[in-house]
Amino acid sequence: MPWTPARLRLLLVLVVADLLLSAGVSRAHAGETRPASHGARITAEDEVGERLVDLTVDSPALGRTAKVRLLTPDGWEDREPGDAWPTLYLLVGGDGNHKAWTEDYDARLKGLRQLRDVLVVMPEMPLFGFYSDWFNRGRGGPPAVETFHLREVRPLLEHQYGAGTRRAAAGESQGGFGALSYAARHPGLFRAAASYSGFVHPSRHPHAVKAAMTYLGLDWQALWGDPVDQRAVWRAHDPYHLAHRLRTTPVYLSSGDGRAGVLDPPGTEPDPEIPGLEDPADPFPEDAISPTETLMHRESQAVATRLRALGTPVTTHFYAGTHSPPYWAREFHRSLPLLLDALREPEVRAQERVGHRQVDLTVDSPALGGTAKVRLLTPDGWERRRPGDTWPVLYLLHGGFEPETYKTWIRESDIEELPALRDVLVVMPEGGQVGFYSDWWNHGRGGPPAWQTFHLDELRPLLEHHYGAGTRRAVAGLSMGGFGAVSYAARRPDLFRAAASFSGPVHLLHPRMREVWPQMEEAYGDDLDALWGDPDAQRAVWQAHDPHHLAERLRRTPVYLSTGDGTPGPLDPPGSAYDPAEAVIHDLTRSLHTRLRQLGAPVTGHFHTGTHHPAYGERELRHALPRLLRALAPVSGGHA
């Protein structure tokens, strides 16, 4: 097959000097403009086709101007302040050409009905930029590609160009690396990620990075440094080593194996030889005509295996094929339903006032595959709120095996009468009879019920956009909800300022936990292996949820832990028996308390006589509330 300029430019390691000028990414171009003194700004906006707009961004992070291509949704030109659309970031390979997805690939983006309601963002990247802020031998500085994309372009688009906060990312070759690396380095920023022939495990093949960059005349150690001396820098960008941060993110991974496939025309020539690309200890198959794709295949399979071990909802497609655009276009279309499903917004189907300060919401949740209830205890003035009014938020999580779980705290306590909660929005969401505040593993398949995604990535933004929820948040819970509170705070330390557990099983892998699990399985009569898998075979999945294993992430979070010892106490009905389950939870809680104290975390413990009776949850909430509310106090003025 003839070697066209487009095909050459799109090969990961075969960008040659005469194409650098045509792609607009030469070193000469990099020095043409000076960084904007006050941050990134749009210097030009050009309509280049139907629904296509090119922005020129003056970027301090890159030290020059760079392009961003937008495929705009219906109604975008007539947008008003506040209008926003779900956003799909489409990332390109090593040449960084922002036009590639609309001109070089047969992706047919403009003809896709599914993208008429989505803003598609296709940003430029410097040659072989690897979607990273370059190490530059410890000096940092330009090109800072990650900063350009996520801290310059993204806010500009969200403030001025209708980009919403429901985001997914996909890309080919280095763009596949970028999609996974960005999603892992910034959990919660992207709801799904897809890689087509992605360089997704670069620390497995550092010789390939060296060979490709040397071939292009680039300083390969300027990217992440030496792979041995700066091992931590390499791993801090490598999706394989960041896989635990993708635990709840739907991922699509695809790659050919380097052999000629169905989309390679007869007589397709082998890739030109790149000195040093092949590892003598791990040679390429004799029938591989695309060594680059062979490497991508090995890396994608390794990452897929790692993600499955962690219980990530991962979809894979591995096939015979080369490192070429027809496969990337095909895989984009295959992955699009997954990406768009992640961009769906939960919808409030019903809102009902059920008390003086109580409001029930019925939420249609993609993460759950159905509807769920949420009870709000509203603050004073909430009904008269104006756009922009917000209040601090206390999430109260219920225990397991409860009827109408979202009503538990109202039914079992007098929180509506507490004066301290009249200036706080209290959120009491449904969490399943035995949902355990987790996205279920489902024997490696993922999918519903995904309680964590519902609570943190669907319900939370919905309440913050429409119901006055602010960004100062605390979380507390009883029993299973106590586990959920501390697990959420550890798994998402960016979200919660404080957490409290009342009789929560907060050390899942404690030896005594095995005493409780069979009782739960018998009581519920369901396949509890679907939750996190077998505690031995899927140990990584369990660890990814276990507050004791995640204790390092709680070092700066005030945590309140309480539990009874199983002996009937002052709040138990007369004649109550010893409670062995609470005794187990007592040991689990003490274990986490000890671990947090060793780490110097701001932890408070209250260990008392008593059983697993809800009356203790109400009492312990009163004890914990001053600490939770202190954490919710504003730094300076304002509601939230």
Side-chain angles (χ1 to χ4, degrees), residues 208-245:
V209 177
K210 176 181 179 181
M213 295 186 72
T214 301
Y215 185 85
L216 297 171
L218 300 175
D219 177 4
W220 72 280
Q221 291 196 36
L223 177 57
W224 298 313
D226 182 86
V228 176
D229 294 342
Q230 282 75 47
R231 179 187 299 265
V233 179
W234 282 69
R235 291 190 170 194
H237 294 86
D238 190 328
Y240 180 89
H241 293 288
L242 301 174
H244 60 284
R245 298 189 183 183

Side-chain angles (χ1 to χ4, degrees), residues 168-495:
E172 51 86 4
S173 196
Q174 276 189 32
F177 163 86
L180 265 64
S181 183
Y182 283 176
R185 286 171 59 79
H186 303 272
L189 199 61
F190 295 97
R191 296 187 175 193
S195 167
Y196 323 125
S197 302
F199 210 142
V200 291
H201 189 5
S203 57
R204 176 173 175 170
H205 297 119
H207 68 281
V209 177
K210 176 181 179 181
M213 295 186 72
T214 301
Y215 185 85
L216 297 171
L218 300 175
D219 177 4
W220 72 280
Q221 291 196 36
L223 177 57
W224 298 313
D226 182 86
V228 176
D229 294 342
Q230 282 75 47
R231 179 187 299 265
V233 179
W234 282 69
R235 291 190 170 194
H237 294 86
D238 190 328
Y240 180 89
H241 293 288
L242 301 174
H244 60 284
R245 298 189 183 183
L246 294 167
R247 167 67 184 82
T248 61
T249 303
V251 172
Y252 183 93
L253 283 170
S254 66
S255 177
D257 59 9
R259 297 178 296 136
V262 294
L263 300 183
D264 293 293
T268 298
E269 296 290 333
D271 293 350
E273 182 179 354
I274 303 297
L277 189 65
E278 185 173 32
D279 180 359
D282 189 17
F284 299 125
E286 291 186 3
D287 59 348
I289 63 172
S290 181
T292 297
E293 191 70 359
T294 301
L295 291 176
M296 303 305 98
H297 185 258
R298 292 169 178 174
E299 294 190 2
S300 296
Q301 286 191 319
V303 172
T305 299
R306 175 68 176 146
L307 290 173
R308 286 197 178 103
L310 292 167
T312 302
V314 60
T315 301
T316 60
H317 184 217
F318 299 117
Y319 50 85
T322 60
H323 198 71
S324 57
Y327 293 102
W328 305 333
R330 182 188 71 182
E331 296 306 309
F332 168 73
H333 287 273
R334 287 178 64 104
S335 68
L336 193 55
L338 177 148
L339 296 168
L340 295 181
D341 190 59
L343 293 177
R344 286 176 55 204
E345 186 173 23
E347 178 185 356
V348 175
R349 289 291 185 88
Q351 175 178 324
E352 181 184 7
R353 176 161 293 281
V354 293
H356 174 59
R357 293 172 52 211
Q358 296 176 41
V359 174
D360 282 358
L361 306 179
T362 302
V363 181
D364 187 1
S365 162
L368 299 179
T371 60
K373 292 280 193 178
V374 180
R375 175 155 291 185
L376 306 180
L377 181 62
T378 61
D380 290 343
W382 181 82
E383 284 195 334
R384 300 184 302 277
R385 67 189 183 281
R386 294 171 298 178
D389 286 348
T390 59
W391 285 263
V393 184
L394 174 62
Y395 287 81
L396 280 183
L397 309 182
H398 63 78
F401 312 112
E402 294 279 354
E404 296 185 300
T405 53
Y406 65 100
K407 298 180 180 179
T408 298
W409 277 101
I410 293 292
R411 186 173 57 237
E412 302 289 351
S413 73
D414 63 350
I415 60 171
E416 192 170 11
E417 308 305 320
L418 296 178
L421 293 180
R422 297 197 72 91
D423 293 319
V424 175
L425 178 64
V426 182
V427 179
M428 295 161 282
E430 182 179 344
Q433 290 274 306
V434 67
F436 258 95
Y437 299 93
S438 301
D439 290 358
W440 280 40
W441 182 62
N442 285 326
H443 302 281
R445 298 186 305 273
W451 290 106
Q452 177 177 322
T453 295
F454 169 59
H455 291 145
L456 303 188
D457 296 323
E458 292 183 346
L459 176 63
R460 177 186 59 80
L462 189 153
L463 296 177
E464 291 173 7
H465 293 158
H466 304 295
Y467 289 88
T471 57
R472 289 182 279 127
R473 315 175 195 89
V475 58
L478 172 66
S479 189
M480 182 180 77
F483 160 81
V486 183
S487 183
Y488 279 178
R491 288 167 63 77
R492 295 289 295 274
D494 57 313
L495 292 185

Side-chain angles (χ1 to χ4, degrees), residues 550-632:
L550 302 173
E552 283 277 357
R553 300 189 186 183
L554 293 167
R555 293 185 69 163
R556 296 179 179 83
T557 304
V559 174
Y560 182 92
L561 299 172
S562 70
T563 180
D565 61 5
T567 304
L571 302 183
D572 289 292
S576 295
Y578 176 74
D579 186 346
E582 186 72 0
V584 170
I585 291 173
H586 181 273
D587 286 357
L588 271 54
T589 305
R590 277 200 176 275
S591 178
L592 177 60
H593 181 263
T594 299
R595 174 66 176 146
L596 290 173
R597 287 177 61 89
Q598 290 171 343
L599 292 170
V603 60
T604 301
H606 183 215
F607 301 97
H608 53 84
T609 58
T611 66
H612 203 70
H613 192 282
Y616 293 102
E618 179 182 7
R619 184 188 72 180
E620 293 306 308
L621 174 62
R622 289 172 174 270
H623 287 172
L625 202 53
R627 296 170 176 82
L628 297 171
L629 295 181
R630 276 199 299 272
L632 292 178

